[in-house]
Amino acid sequence: PRVTIVGAGRVGSTLAQRIAEKNLADVVLLDIVEGMPQGLALDLTEARGIELHNRQIIGTNNYFDTSGSQIVVITAGLPRKPGMSRDDLLKTNAKIVVEAAKNAIAHSPNAIFIVVTNPLDVMTYLAWQATNLPRERIMGMAGVLDSARFETFIAMELGVLPADVKAMVLGSHGDLMVPLSRYATVNGIPVTELLDATTIERLVERTRNGGAEIVELMQTGGAFFAPASATSVMVESILWNQSRLLPVATYLEGEYGLIDVVIGVPCRLGCGGIESVLELNLTDEEIKALHSSAESVHQNIQRSQE
Ligand code: NAI
């Protein structure tokens, strides 16, 4: 199989590395900057013999080279600077993502699309509109990353292995994300049994600010290692038809009482893309949080089209 990554920046190039080194697929890295994706592809290719995989990595500036991809990941666009919210990127990235989606679908009409560019939920909606794809085949990555952050903070607090912590974060990728703490467990034991409410709320807050915390520390762009790992999990679940149940930003058609908006909810991911959307029995408070999250995405979709 072949995966195209549009945007060979920090997230895109790290994702290319993950996909090749996990032996998931050949990779085409595309960017507007001339020479850059070609150089990265050569560098990654030179590591092939050491990392012991045999995946081809091609760098290009031309969509023709992306033809026939099974998956297209869009990471093209600007990342945040310190003090910026994801929404500040709206207008610039909207143009870039719509253009990328249209070009990519023209050469890979059967591909499944994963959008990574921020503001994530709005960009996924715009890419869905631009490609006219059924919702099964176009989605956004955010929840897997936000959940991994929440799990990390729980693991750090309890001094346990991160792999033993399972949690899910729904909603939009932003300040209004909805971490479901009552579902979080350490190997099946509810985290609510292990930590008091104030501590959990502190970890939830840190999760909501997880991206900004890294932007503030680095001062030059945002996170990319964990975002690339999170995206590779989605790529893997699709390519290997694993049907993993993951939080995925998807177009809602009435689920959770929401219509015509993209937001993160639990989805099964398999070879056809989104196989199903799971509707959890949320508490009134969680539903309210999900709806205000969706409302802010909705407003930004409208702003992007003004
Ligand atoms: P970066 O600046 O390192 O890379 C972006 C790349 O896009 C650059 O190489 C740039 O040349 C390229 N690009 C710009 N316009 C393009 C176009 N029209 N066609 C093709 N390529 C184009 O940024 P980074 O750190 O890789 O982040 C990429 C995006 O992903 C940002 O919007 C960032 O906010 C977002 N992001 C989203 C996450 C999520 O959870 N959904 C997590 C981390 C980042």
Side-chain angles (χ1 to χ4, degrees):
R2 159 182 275 207
V3 174
T4 284
I5 302 170
V6 184
R10 295 186 313 165
V11 177
S13 58
T14 312
L15 177 62
Q17 180 188 8
R18 297 258 193 274
I19 290 174
E21 291 178 3
K22 286 184 178 180
N23 211 10
L24 297 179
D26 294 339
V27 180
V28 182
L29 257 179
L30 182 142
D31 205 281
I32 37 162
V33 179
E34 282 180 27
M36 187 263 267
Q38 291 86 345
L40 286 167
L42 183 58
D43 193 11
L44 283 165
T45 302
E46 288 165 358
R48 227 164 39 157
I50 303 172
E51 295 295 339
L52 300 179
H53 68 82
N54 206 18
R55 294 300 179 180
Q56 242 196 357
I57 301 137
I58 298 167
T60 184
N61 307 112
N62 188 337
Y63 279 91
F64 183 77
D65 296 320
T66 69
S67 300
S69 298
Q70 275 79 359
I71 298 182
V72 173
V73 182
I74 300 179
T75 75
L78 305 185
R80 282 192 282 173
K81 296 202 176 71
M84 279 173 97
S85 82
R86 292 178 181 89
D87 294 347
D88 293 331
L89 303 168
L90 189 63
K91 292 247 157 90
T92 325
N93 285 354
K95 261 171 80 179
I96 295 174
V97 166
V98 165
E99 180 200 288
K102 283 188 172 156
N103 282 322
I105 189 89
H107 292 87
S108 302
N110 298 318
I112 292 168
F113 280 65
I114 303 175
V115 178
V116 177
T117 308
N118 274 320
L120 188 273
D121 308 87
V122 186
M123 293 305 124
T124 306
Y125 185 96
L126 297 180
W128 166 75
Q129 265 189 336
T131 53
N132 214 6
L133 280 170
R135 71 159 177 175
E136 292 74 25
R137 285 177 44 209
I138 184 149
M139 66 196 81
M141 186 291 291
V144 180
L145 171 65
D146 296 329
S147 304
R149 285 180 172 151
F150 192 30
E151 290 163 357
T152 302
F153 300 144
I154 293 169
M156 283 160 65
E157 187 69 29
L158 288 168
V160 298
L161 262 189
D164 287 343
V165 183
K166 294 285 168 235
M168 202 177 268
V169 177
L170 308 185
S172 64
H173 186 51
D175 308 336
L176 294 174
M177 68 180 73
V178 186
L180 296 179
S181 5
R182 74 192 167 96
Y183 284 116
T185 74
V186 179
N187 285 338
I189 300 171
V191 167
T192 47
E193 296 276 320
L194 304 168
L195 293 171
D196 60 52
T198 322
T199 309
I200 293 175
E201 196 40 48
R202 177 164 50 78
L203 304 182
V204 162
E205 241 352 89
R206 190 168 179 197
T207 304
R208 290 209 177 98
N209 291 320
E213 182 177 359
I214 291 176
V215 173
E216 290 302 329
L217 285 167
M218 303 213 303
Q219 295 286 312
T220 51
F224 56 99
F225 289 120
S229 294
T231 312
S232 78
V233 164
M234 294 172 65
V235 169
E236 183 178 49
S237 191
I238 293 167
L239 287 179
W240 291 356
N241 198 20
Q242 288 173 323
S243 294
R244 289 189 69 175
L245 182 62
L246 301 167
V248 172
T250 184
Y251 181 82
L252 292 184
E253 294 170 335
E255 296 89 350
Y256 296 96
L258 293 167
I259 292 175
D260 196 33
V261 71
V262 166
I263 205 155
V265 293
C267 297
R268 276 175 179 279
L269 280 194
C271 62
I274 295 176
E275 294 173 337
S276 60
V277 174
L278 178 75
E279 273 197 87
L280 294 168
N281 270 325
L282 297 181
T283 63
D284 289 350
E285 203 181 328
E286 287 159 350
I287 275 284
K288 228 177 104 195
L290 199 63
H291 277 237
S292 54
S293 195
E295 181 50 35
S296 81
V297 175
H298 203 77
Q299 281 171 7
N300 275 331
I301 290 170
Q302 272 163 350
R303 264 183 59 209
S304 75
Q305 292 171 335
E306 275 162 11

